[in-house]
Amino acid sequence: MIRMASGAAGLVFGCLALWLPAQPALADAAMRAVTGTLTYAERIALPATAEVVVEFRGRDGRVVASERAVTEGRQVPLDFRLWVPAERAGAFVGAVAIDGETTWQTEPVPVQAGTGPVDLGEVRLARVAEVPEPAPAPLPEPEVAEPEVAPVVPEPEPEVAAPAPEPEPEVAAPAPEPVAPEVRELRLMCGETEVRATLRDGTAAVMVGDVSIEMVQVPAASGARFEVPDDPETFLWLRNDRALVGLAGEVLPECEPATD
C-alpha cells in the first residue's frame, strides 16, 4: 500500500503536475515515458485536496521513479505520465490519497524493459480495503534457453557375487576308546624259590610263596626295576631274560624263567 502523509512525510515525490509533466533533462536514450489514465467505478467525487501518486518500482520492490500532484477539483479519469529509466523492467502502481491516507490504489502493472514509450491505457483503482498489501509485482521472467540435457544412460546393474557356500560343520572325531593297560605275567625260579609277578601300568604284584608284595616302577640304569615304596631293599629287577629279587635286604639267587 502507498502510504501518504501531509507535508514531507511518507514517500518523497516532486510537485510536478501529472497532466503536463516536463520532459527530464536526461537524454531520451536514458529515460522513457509511461502513460495512461487512472479511474475507478464508484460514482464518488474527489475533494479538491485529493492527491494522485504514481510510482515505478524495480523488480526488488524499491521505488525507482515517482510523482504526485493535487487534483484541484479534477475527477477520474485522470491522465498521468511518468518518466522511468530505459531498459529497465518493473511495475507501475498508482494511488489516490485523501487527507494523507491512501484511499484508492491499483494493482501492480508489469512494465517490460525497453527504450520506447509505454501506454498502459486505463488502469483501474480499487478501494484500499479491497487491495491486499502489495508485494513486489510479479515481473515477466527473462527468456532463458533451456540447457541441453544429455541422455541419461542407465548405469549397469552391479554384479552380485553368489553367496559363498556355508562351511560344513566340523564334526569332532570320536574319542579313542580307552586301551586296556598291557598286562605281563611272569613266573620265575630264583634258585629253589618260585616267584610270580604281574606287571601292569608301572606296577608289579609279586608273589613269593604265599607272600604278596606290591611294588612300583623306579628309574633304573638298565632293564625295569620295581621297588616297595619306602623299602628299596625289597625289589624286582628285570634284565633281559634274567631277574633279581630282593626281600628286605636278602637277595635271592639269580632268577630264570620257569620251564615247566
Side-chain angles (χ1 to χ4, degrees):
M1 178 188 300
I2 297 177
R3 294 290 182 183
M4 294 286 298
S6 59
L11 296 173
V12 179
F13 302 109
C15 296
L16 301 177
L18 292 174
W19 301 274
L20 296 173
Q23 186 166 344
L26 296 176
D28 292 343
M31 303 291 285
R32 61 174 175 161
V34 176
T35 59
T37 58
L38 298 176
T39 187
Y40 52 76
E42 292 89 338
R43 298 178 63 85
I44 300 175
L46 293 174
T49 57
E51 290 184 304
V52 177
V53 183
V54 290
E55 294 179 349
F56 178 75
R57 299 178 181 180
R59 296 175 67 113
D60 57 0
R62 295 183 181 181
V63 176
V64 178
S66 64
E67 290 189 14
R68 78 176 182 184
V70 179
T71 59
E72 297 178 348
R74 297 182 182 85
Q75 303 298 321
V76 295
L78 299 171
D79 297 328
F80 65 84
R81 175 178 294 171
L82 180 63
W83 294 94
V84 302
E87 293 294 356
R88 183 161 184 176
F92 169 84
V93 178
V96 173
I98 299 175
D99 296 330
E101 292 293 331
T102 302
T103 308
W104 283 275
Q105 185 173 318
T106 71
E107 293 284 352
V109 181
V111 176
Q112 300 282 359
T115 57
V118 178
D119 184 6
L120 300 180
E122 187 177 78
V123 182
R124 287 279 180 174
L125 293 159
R127 283 279 189 178
V128 169
E130 303 172 3
V131 178
E133 285 291 331
L139 300 177
E141 295 292 334
E143 295 185 0
V144 179
E146 294 185 0
E148 295 184 1
V149 179
V152 178
V153 179
E155 295 183 0
E157 292 291 333
E159 295 184 1
V160 179
E166 296 184 1
E168 294 290 335
E170 295 184 1
V171 179
E177 295 183 2
V179 178
E182 182 181 355
V183 179
R184 183 181 175 190
E185 299 286 347
L186 299 177
R187 181 169 171 263
L188 304 171
M189 291 303 296
C190 304
E192 297 299 326
T193 303
E194 182 182 39
V195 177
R196 295 178 181 270
T198 301
L199 308 181
R200 179 186 294 111
D201 196 19
T203 63
V206 180
M207 290 290 296
V208 181
D210 296 333
V211 179
S212 175
I213 307 171
E214 296 293 332
M215 302 182 186
V216 296
Q217 190 171 2
V218 297
S222 62
R225 184 181 175 93
F226 298 86
E227 296 178 355
V228 174
D230 302 327
D231 184 10
E233 293 185 355
T234 301
F235 62 85
L236 170 64
W237 190 357
L238 303 175
R239 293 181 296 181
N240 296 327
D241 58 349
R242 296 288 189 268
L244 287 177
V245 176
L247 299 174
E250 181 183 354
V251 179
L252 299 180
E254 187 175 37
C255 305
E256 296 180 355
T259 58
D260 56 354

